[in-house]
Amino acid sequence: MSDTTTREYVSTDRRRENTDEAVTEEETQEETQVCPECGGSLITDEARGETVCGDCGLVVETDAVDRGPEWRAFNSSERDSKSRVGAPTTRMMHDKGLSTNIGWQNKDAYGKALSARQREQMQRLRTWNERFRTRNSKERNLKQALGEIDRMASALGLPENVRETASVIYRRALDDDLLPGRSIEGVATSALYAAARQAGTPRSLDEITTVSRVDKMELTRTYRYVVRELKLEIEPADPEQYVPRFASELDLSDEAERQARDLLRNAKKAGIHSGKSPVGLAAAAVYAAALLTNEKVTQSEVSEVASISEVTIRNRYKELLEVDDAGLFA
């Protein structure tokens, strides 16, 4: 018999062995999923660590390993206090939340107060911990900017997804070297403004400026530069996106909010929204809707909520009502 024929026989035997092993594993898995006595389905009782048959009650397995925590929690606060895992990674922190934080409370693991010498030692450890968390100028820059984004987002009431998107935009700007010649606060504010528009929860430039440390001119100039260099796809702001927030702050009814949306849709069909501020149109629609639904709202109140002058509201709401009347009698 030649060497070639011998190799063919050996390879054939190995394939048969592998096939037999695979079949045996599949049969074992099927057997563990069904009861060996009656063929019924098996149920795992985690409280007792047993696997029993749901039909005949046969105990198939005992002393199963419980891979869950050894503690019990009956509400969310207990679960959070007893859990030993940290928060998920996030882009809103310069180190993505992976570094260790030393608590500010001067107490030990048993809740007892530390001595003066121990407090001094812990304060020294906190200082060195902060120094190690930002190892270079880029991380210090990122830490300052992300803190600024979080501060402004909290002041504007923006959700967490907007903060996360703004952090990603700022990181991209930092990686592409867009910051030389521009302030950290300006780029951070521009990133937050762009993220809010992308998420469908826009804020006006005046609202952003009130919580920012840069003026409106620098904000608009930096925003255009960041959007152009990063090639961000941002659609023009829709006036209807401002209506729910304005109506909520003015405590208007759902009928008034629906009426304001209808006024803006009619304005879009007539084409009078082109070239006009979406914030001004939204504020005017809210005011006009309040008049149509007999709800008491003054122009000064709407002006304060929307950060728009009363003159703009008067001019725009008259145009909206004219378009609405023309649509009714058409």
Side-chain angles (χ1 to χ4, degrees):
M1 184 181 296
S2 64
D3 294 339
T4 305
T5 308
T6 305
R7 292 194 194 101
E8 290 179 356
Y9 283 141
V10 171
S11 60
T12 305
D13 292 340
R14 287 177 179 174
R15 284 197 297 269
R16 288 174 180 172
E17 289 177 359
N18 295 334
T19 306
D20 294 340
E21 290 177 359
V23 172
T24 305
E25 289 179 359
E26 292 178 358
E27 292 177 352
T28 305
Q29 291 178 357
E30 291 178 357
E31 289 177 357
T32 56
Q33 293 175 359
V34 298
C35 176
E37 292 290 336
C38 64
S41 58
L42 299 180
I43 301 174
T44 302
D45 188 353
E46 296 180 356
R48 295 183 174 86
E50 297 176 347
T51 302
V52 299
C53 176
D55 296 334
C56 66
L58 176 67
V59 179
V60 179
E61 183 182 359
T62 59
D63 299 331
V65 178
D66 185 6
R67 303 187 183 278
E70 81 282 2
W71 44 263
R72 292 191 301 170
F74 300 98
N75 51 46
S76 58
S77 61
E78 288 186 8
R79 188 178 300 107
D80 294 339
S81 63
K82 293 181 179 181
S83 178
R84 299 191 185 92
V85 296
T89 57
T90 175
R91 298 277 184 174
M92 294 186 291
M93 299 180 68
H94 72 283
D95 52 9
K96 299 182 182 179
L98 296 176
S99 62
T100 302
N101 293 324
I102 300 178
W104 56 270
Q105 294 178 341
N106 291 318
K107 294 181 180 179
D108 60 10
Y110 299 99
K112 297 180 181 180
L114 301 178
S115 63
R117 183 178 178 182
Q118 289 175 331
R119 287 198 301 270
E120 183 180 353
Q121 187 178 9
M122 291 303 300
Q123 186 59 37
R124 192 181 303 114
L125 288 174
R126 292 190 190 99
T127 302
W128 279 106
N129 184 53
E130 286 298 320
R131 292 174 181 174
F132 281 124
R133 289 182 65 184
T134 53
R135 292 168 294 180
N136 50 43
S137 60
K138 183 177 180 181
E139 290 188 359
R140 287 192 294 271
N141 181 317
L142 195 58
K143 182 180 179 181
Q144 179 182 349
L146 297 182
E148 190 72 8
I149 289 174
D150 188 64
R151 181 190 64 80
M152 292 186 293
S154 298
L156 294 171
L158 292 172
E160 187 174 345
N161 65 315
V162 175
R163 307 181 192 192
E164 192 87 23
T165 304
S167 303
V168 173
I169 293 175
Y170 187 88
R171 287 174 183 272
R172 289 183 56 191
L174 186 62
D175 293 337
D176 292 351
D177 293 330
L178 302 184
L179 267 73
R182 292 165 184 82
S183 64
I184 296 175
E185 290 82 2
V187 179
T189 308
S190 302
L192 183 63
Y193 180 62
R197 292 186 59 175
Q198 281 185 336
T201 55
R203 297 293 186 269
S204 64
L205 286 172
D206 294 328
E207 290 177 301
I208 295 285
T209 306
T210 54
V211 300
S212 175
R213 293 191 173 98
V214 296
D215 56 13
K216 188 175 181 180
M217 184 174 295
E218 181 182 352
L219 171 59
T220 53
R221 184 170 59 248
T222 308
Y223 170 73
R224 294 194 193 99
Y225 175 73
V226 169
V227 170
R228 182 178 66 252
E229 293 298 323
L230 296 182
K231 296 181 175 58
L232 301 178
E233 296 181 0
I234 300 178
E235 297 180 355
D238 190 352
E240 289 189 39
Q241 295 176 339
Y242 295 92
V243 170
R245 182 161 57 90
F246 293 166
S248 176
E249 294 183 10
L250 293 169
D251 198 18
L252 297 178
S253 63
D254 294 340
E255 178 63 27
E257 182 178 342
R258 184 165 54 253
Q259 186 70 42
R261 291 179 181 274
D262 292 339
L263 291 173
L264 290 174
R265 292 192 183 101
N266 293 334
K268 290 178 185 178
K269 292 178 181 178
I272 68 170
H273 69 294
S274 179
K276 296 181 175 62
S277 170
V279 183
L281 282 173
V286 169
Y287 177 70
L291 295 180
L292 294 175
T293 55
N294 297 322
E295 299 187 33
K296 296 181 180 180
V297 173
T298 63
Q299 292 182 2
S300 61
E301 292 175 342
V302 179
S303 173
E304 183 179 356
V305 168
S307 300
I308 293 294
S309 65
E310 297 182 24
V311 177
T312 303
I313 294 176
R314 281 194 292 271
N315 294 336
R316 297 293 175 265
Y317 103 87
K318 290 177 182 178
E319 295 174 359
L320 292 175
L321 291 179
E322 289 175 0
V323 171
D324 191 58
D325 293 338
L328 289 175
F329 294 106

